[in-house]
Amino acid sequence: KSFFQHTEERPKLPTAETKIRKSEDSSPFAKQSVKNISKLMNESGFSGKLSMTQMRRAAHKLGLNPRHLQDPDNSLFKFILSLQTNLLFDIRKVVLGAILIANGKPDEKAQVLFEHFDHNNSMVLEHTQIHQMLSEMLEISVEHIPILSLGESEENLQNEELKSYSKELLNFKQRFIDDTLHKIITNDTPEMYEEHFIEIMTKDQHLKQLLWARGLREWILKNYTASSKELL
């Protein structure tokens, strides 16, 4: 069974996507501005891999309720838990999820996104770093953020439904990265300055859409899945 419905005009948003968007809108991240998230994390001093205790402190700094990270049935807890490796949490990926859900103008989102991957504060990203950025953006938007929609009611996604939806989108991961890199990198220089990155990401409608997790998923739906033979 495919979750995507093909039409002559554009693919209709699947039920799974609609439910994910509702969960994004009701998540604590949606109540934050992207500039505030950046400011809070810069002030918090948290970086790298965190224990659960440190993760709860970081969550508090992000304006989240730490008690939610003590409830296994809470969707935010499930989202954070999905980013756990060897009992440690990658705070950068948690923040990336927040960036991709949070409110903000396109230029603000692009700036915070660039700075999130500019680990040395050099105001320059190499092409390999931009590749890594796109890869992580897709993974967070397709595999992890949708976990916020898991639940038992009809308004929520069931686990198998979520897995099928994410898997179908992930089929286009490499194609998405290659096509988007081609749009971002328009010359032969091996690196990109922050100002140029912000300009490109905000002037191109496709790239601007990718500054939101829902926009990234919809781009895959519209440009890849709708033309895939298996979905016609």
Side-chain angles (χ1 to χ4, degrees):
K1 175 186 175 182
S2 170
F3 285 94
F4 308 116
Q5 302 175 29
H6 179 70
T7 66
E8 289 300 316
E9 301 165 359
R10 55 165 287 177
K12 179 183 177 182
L13 283 181
T15 302
E17 178 61 29
T18 302
K19 290 179 178 180
I20 293 167
R21 291 182 177 210
K22 286 181 180 177
S23 69
E24 287 178 340
D25 291 339
S26 61
S27 77
F29 299 131
K31 300 174 178 62
Q32 298 267 12
S33 72
V34 71
K35 291 179 72 174
N36 193 46
I37 287 172
S38 176
K39 178 174 178 288
L40 289 171
M41 285 313 301
N42 288 334
E43 291 176 351
S44 73
F46 287 108
S47 62
K49 309 285 187 179
L50 307 185
S51 67
M52 177 55 88
T53 300
Q54 292 171 316
M55 189 64 243
R56 289 190 182 113
R57 291 176 189 159
H60 179 69
K61 292 286 186 181
L62 273 172
L64 309 179
N65 187 340
R67 285 181 296 179
H68 289 164
L69 301 189
Q70 296 174 317
D71 179 4
D73 293 326
N74 185 274
S75 61
L76 182 62
F77 180 89
K78 292 176 182 177
F79 165 68
I80 300 291
L81 199 64
S82 75
L83 299 170
Q84 183 187 56
T85 305
N86 297 326
L87 300 179
L88 295 175
F89 300 87
D90 189 340
I91 186 62
R92 288 188 60 260
K93 291 189 176 181
V94 176
V95 174
L96 179 57
I99 291 170
L100 292 170
I101 294 176
N103 292 311
K105 298 177 181 177
D107 59 332
E108 295 171 343
K109 300 263 282 188
Q111 180 181 357
V112 172
L113 186 63
F114 185 97
E115 292 171 352
H116 187 69
F117 286 88
D118 181 17
H119 310 311
N120 302 320
N121 296 318
S122 61
M123 299 182 70
V124 173
L125 289 182
E126 296 180 0
H127 292 177
T128 53
Q129 291 173 292
I130 297 175
H131 185 287
Q132 182 65 25
M133 175 195 292
L134 293 172
S135 178
E136 290 189 20
M137 286 171 66
L138 184 140
E139 288 170 8
I140 292 292
S141 299
V142 172
E143 290 189 85
H144 298 284
I145 286 176
I147 290 172
L148 291 169
S149 65
L150 283 176
E152 298 301 321
S153 74
E154 289 186 3
E155 294 183 355
N156 297 113
L157 281 180
Q158 304 304 306
N159 197 42
E160 287 305 313
E161 187 181 13
L162 175 60
K163 285 182 180 179
S164 296
Y165 182 68
S166 295
K167 181 180 178 181
E168 202 146 10
L169 290 178
L170 285 170
N171 285 335
F172 302 94
K173 178 178 179 179
Q174 194 56 54
R175 187 173 165 189
F176 163 80
I177 292 174
D178 291 343
D179 290 350
T180 309
L181 269 177
H182 183 71
K183 277 182 166 287
I184 294 176
I185 300 168
T186 56
N187 53 44
D188 295 328
T189 57
E191 56 193 21
M192 177 171 286
Y193 287 90
E194 181 175 346
E195 185 177 344
H196 188 206
F197 177 82
I198 295 171
E199 181 182 3
I200 287 177
M201 293 298 292
T202 53
K203 284 192 174 181
D204 185 289
Q205 283 302 118
H206 158 217
L207 298 177
K208 186 189 297 185
Q209 183 176 348
L210 305 184
L211 297 170
W212 282 264
R214 64 182 57 192
L216 189 152
R217 292 191 304 270
E218 185 172 352
W219 180 260
I220 295 174
L221 285 168
K222 287 167 59 178
N223 292 277
Y224 303 136
T225 61
S227 60
S228 176
K229 291 180 181 178
E230 66 191 52
L231 301 174
L232 295 178

